[in-house]
Amino acid sequence: MSSRTLSLPTRAVTVFSGAVGLTVKILLLSIVNAVAIWACAVLVLDGKWFFVGAAGAATLAVDAIYLLPRRLIPLKFLVPGTVFLLAFQVIPIAYNVNVAFTNWATGHILTKSEAIRAIEEQTLEPPFNGKSYVMAPASDADGSLVLVLVEEGSRRAFLGTRTGLQPLAHDQIRLAPSGAIAQVSGYRLIKGRDLASLDRELSSFTVPTGPSTAIRPEGLGTALELRKTLRYDPKRDVFIRLADGRIFRDNGRGSFASGNEELEPGWRADVGLDNFRRLARDPLIQKPFLRVLAWTFMFATLTVLLSFALGLLVAIALNRPGMRFLRVYRSLLVLPYAVPAFLSILVWRGLLNDEFGLVNRLLPFSLPWLFDPTWAKASVILVSVWLTVPYFFLVSLGALQSIPGELVEAARVDGGSPWQIFRRVTLPLLLVAVAPLMIASFAFNFNNFNNIYLLTGGGPTTDDQTIAGATDILISYTWKLAFQAGKGQDYGLASAISIVIFFVVATISALSFWRSRSLEELR
């Protein structure tokens, strides 16, 4: 058989069966091993030895599977799918569940050691008659950041490092007429763009000058001597307030606390079921959550039922083979389904604008489509139905055309009215095919983030003034809790709500599929 008669897949297999295939295999395995070595090095630095062992064992298993003889061919096809399943499904789900049982939120982002350092840096205040300095950031011979300091008043010069304060000779430093530091022998002053990039490093740079005092930069040209208000005792793992001796202990929830007073920042810690208890007991969270949950059910249910009803009505009207311009009508009805949904939603947002929207200009009156809670909900349902009707139109039209005409004709012969035929013959047979799709559509709209976010952003605001807007559904409310800037990120609570969403959708879908099994008897 000549090579010209071979199919393209066959020729590809032939090309990659010999030395070329072996070379490609070794190259890919080398990349996998290089990534695994890098990952193990990172895990070793973090002290996560269990994951080091797991990554090493998995890498060796992959090497063995692809280098051993052909009897392991099934595993060669199974491994890639398993890896992608773990990477894109299992690991994200496990990570989300883990976050739901932590206090990870604004003020509890750091690790405990980082939080201790942050508290020590933030609990500094100027003492009575504290010293102030003219400052210039510089780098030493090793490239490390140091501070060149000139004490105001005495004009004594010092070099500040993270370990302490060292005096500088007068001939080592030259001041400009304005009093700023112009030059330091042995050190390079940091200026221009390099100076602008030091904001974050300077804000955490302190020069210890005593047991409870330190010098800290205030801006880019001055520094102040500050006094600690808290002292950390590593043996007892407590903070002691120097003014009154009050002790702040680890409260087991990611904070040092004494009574109702907590030091900030805290750190990430396991809190068990606290996030779920907040959903059930905290009025500030429970009330908006229940309101959003009720609206989510209403939104998903009305969108599916109205879309199915309108789609079925149009499908029945256009299920006539001899109708003129039938293809034109069907094409026009499918257009909303063909246009990307996010573009359609943005167009509708402009059309429904209170002041400049075309809809209000065509109407004899003006309606607050997007800025009144009630009308905003109606707008969200209207746009969602407009986007979903073509889908149910296509599904219903296909299901109607699959119903045997003999059954409908027999019902007519038995004296059934059009409504009776539809209710007792057409609709039950139609639901056999459409019911599972309606369940899937409900699950989709239950988490239809795009429609809410792009049209109303979850707004407008409500009377309770919480982060949950009038049109927020659970998924958009969860997004606001986790990511919306200016409101405080609460990743633990957001993850807990996402778990609730999963169980709600899973329960409703399971019950719906169980109930829809009765329709199978009609086949």
Side-chain angles (χ1 to χ4, degrees):
M1 182 181 292
S2 64
S3 59
R4 293 183 178 180
T5 60
L6 295 176
S7 63
L8 182 60
T10 304
R11 279 183 285 173
V13 170
T14 303
V15 170
F16 287 98
S17 295
V20 176
L22 181 61
T23 303
V24 172
K25 181 194 297 185
I26 294 175
L27 177 62
L28 293 176
L29 287 177
S30 299
I31 295 174
V32 171
N33 281 265
V35 173
I37 292 172
W38 168 80
C40 288
V42 173
L43 292 171
V44 168
L45 292 176
D46 290 341
K48 299 179 179 178
W49 299 104
F50 171 79
F51 294 102
V52 171
T59 305
L60 293 175
V62 170
D63 291 341
I65 289 171
Y66 285 97
L67 293 176
L68 287 179
R70 295 184 176 182
R71 60 177 176 270
L72 295 177
I73 285 180
L75 284 178
K76 295 180 181 181
F77 290 93
L78 183 63
V79 166
T82 304
V83 170
F84 284 115
L85 175 65
L86 291 173
F88 297 106
Q89 292 291 334
V90 177
I91 293 178
I93 291 174
Y95 183 76
N96 182 76
V97 171
N98 178 67
V99 172
F101 294 92
T102 69
N103 65 341
W104 196 356
T106 299
H108 294 274
I109 302 293
L110 308 174
T111 62
K112 186 174 182 178
S113 59
E114 292 171 339
I116 291 172
R117 289 196 299 269
I119 292 172
E120 290 178 325
E121 293 171 359
Q122 294 177 12
T123 55
L124 296 172
E125 64 179 14
F128 180 71
N129 292 330
K131 299 175 183 179
S132 59
Y133 299 85
V134 176
M135 180 198 72
S139 59
D140 59 14
D142 297 329
S144 301
L145 177 65
V146 295
L147 302 181
V148 180
L149 303 166
V150 176
E151 184 180 344
E152 294 184 354
S154 69
R155 312 305 291 175
R156 291 185 298 172
F158 299 91
L159 183 71
T161 66
R162 293 186 183 274
T163 58
L165 200 62
Q166 304 171 11
L168 289 175
H170 286 287
D171 58 356
Q172 285 185 265
I173 186 169
R174 183 173 64 85
L175 301 179
S178 62
I181 300 170
Q183 185 178 357
V184 183
S185 60
Y187 299 92
R188 183 182 67 86
L189 296 180
I190 301 175
K191 299 179 180 179
R193 294 182 179 178
D194 294 336
L195 183 61
S197 63
L198 286 178
D199 285 347
R200 179 174 297 180
E201 189 174 358
L202 283 174
S203 64
S204 61
F205 194 101
T206 57
V207 180
T209 58
S212 61
T213 57
I215 297 173
R216 187 173 67 184
E218 299 291 331
L220 299 176
T222 59
L224 297 176
E225 183 182 38
L226 303 174
R227 179 182 61 190
K228 294 181 180 180
T229 59
L230 292 168
R231 180 176 62 85
Y232 178 66
D233 185 348
K235 293 182 179 180
R236 299 164 60 191
D237 191 25
V238 298
F239 270 98
I240 303 170
R241 188 153 60 193
L242 300 178
D244 55 7
R246 189 170 186 178
I247 297 177
F248 294 83
R249 292 183 170 85
D250 184 348
N251 62 2
R253 297 191 299 274
S255 296
F256 286 103
S258 177
N260 294 326
E261 185 179 356
E262 293 185 357
L263 300 181
E264 294 182 352
W267 61 90
R268 298 192 300 270
D270 294 330
V271 294
L273 298 173
D274 278 5
N275 290 314
F276 297 94
R277 294 191 188 99
R278 291 167 65 192
L279 283 176
R281 301 174 183 175
D282 189 343
L284 296 177
I285 298 175
Q286 181 193 54
K287 184 177 179 181
F289 172 76
L290 293 177
R291 172 170 59 81
V292 171
L293 179 63
W295 160 242
T296 304
F297 273 105
M298 183 184 300
F299 165 71
T301 303
L302 290 177
T303 298
V304 172
L305 292 181
L306 292 176
S307 300
F308 171 67
L310 291 175
L312 178 59
L313 178 64
V314 176
I316 293 174
L318 297 182
N319 189 26
R320 298 179 182 180
M323 187 176 181
R324 296 182 62 186
F325 306 113
L326 185 60
R327 293 184 178 179
V328 176
Y329 296 146
R330 291 178 177 176
S331 300
L332 291 175
L333 287 169
V334 174
L335 276 179
Y337 194 56
V339 177
F342 77 95
L343 289 178
S344 299
I345 296 169
L346 293 176
V347 170
W348 271 105
R349 183 172 183 172
L351 294 174
L352 296 175
N353 185 275
D354 280 11
E355 298 182 5
F356 310 107
L358 180 62
V359 174
N360 276 346
R361 291 195 175 189
L362 295 177
L363 293 175
F365 47 82
S366 180
L367 293 175
W369 293 102
L370 303 178
F371 300 98
D372 176 78
T374 302
W375 283 107
K377 291 179 179 179
S379 302
V380 168
I381 294 176
L382 170 68
V383 174
S384 299
V385 169
W386 186 82
L387 290 170
T388 313
V389 162
Y391 169 74
F392 279 110
F393 162 69
L394 293 174
V395 169
S396 299
L397 184 62
L400 285 172
Q401 293 177 352
S402 67
I403 296 176
E406 296 82 358
L407 294 178
V408 178
E409 188 62 31
R412 287 199 187 100
V413 172
D414 288 342
S417 64
W419 170 247
Q420 290 175 327
I421 294 173
F422 172 78
R423 186 169 63 90
R424 296 181 179 275
V425 178
T426 305
L427 185 60
L429 292 174
L430 187 73
L431 289 178
V432 172
V434 178
L437 300 178
M438 292 178 67
I439 297 170
S441 181
F442 176 87
F444 172 79
N445 283 285
F446 200 88
N447 292 305
N448 198 339
F449 176 81
N450 285 349
N451 285 19
I452 302 298
Y453 182 76
L454 295 177
L455 187 63
T456 65
T461 57
T462 56
D463 294 336
D464 55 17
Q465 298 298 315
T466 61
I467 192 174
T471 58
D472 268 318
I473 58 176
L474 284 177
I475 190 66
S476 63
Y477 176 50
T478 302
W479 182 87
K480 285 183 176 181
L481 286 172
F483 301 114
Q484 186 166 359
K487 302 291 185 180
Q489 291 79 30
D490 196 335
Y491 305 110
L493 182 61
S495 297
I497 294 178
S498 69
I499 293 176
V500 172
I501 294 174
F502 168 78
F503 281 109
V504 168
V505 174
T507 302
I508 293 174
S509 300
L511 291 175
S512 300
F513 279 117
W514 176 71
R515 291 289 298 171
S516 64
R517 289 180 60 186
S518 60
L519 297 173
E520 297 179 2
E521 300 176 359
L522 299 172
R523 293 184 178 181

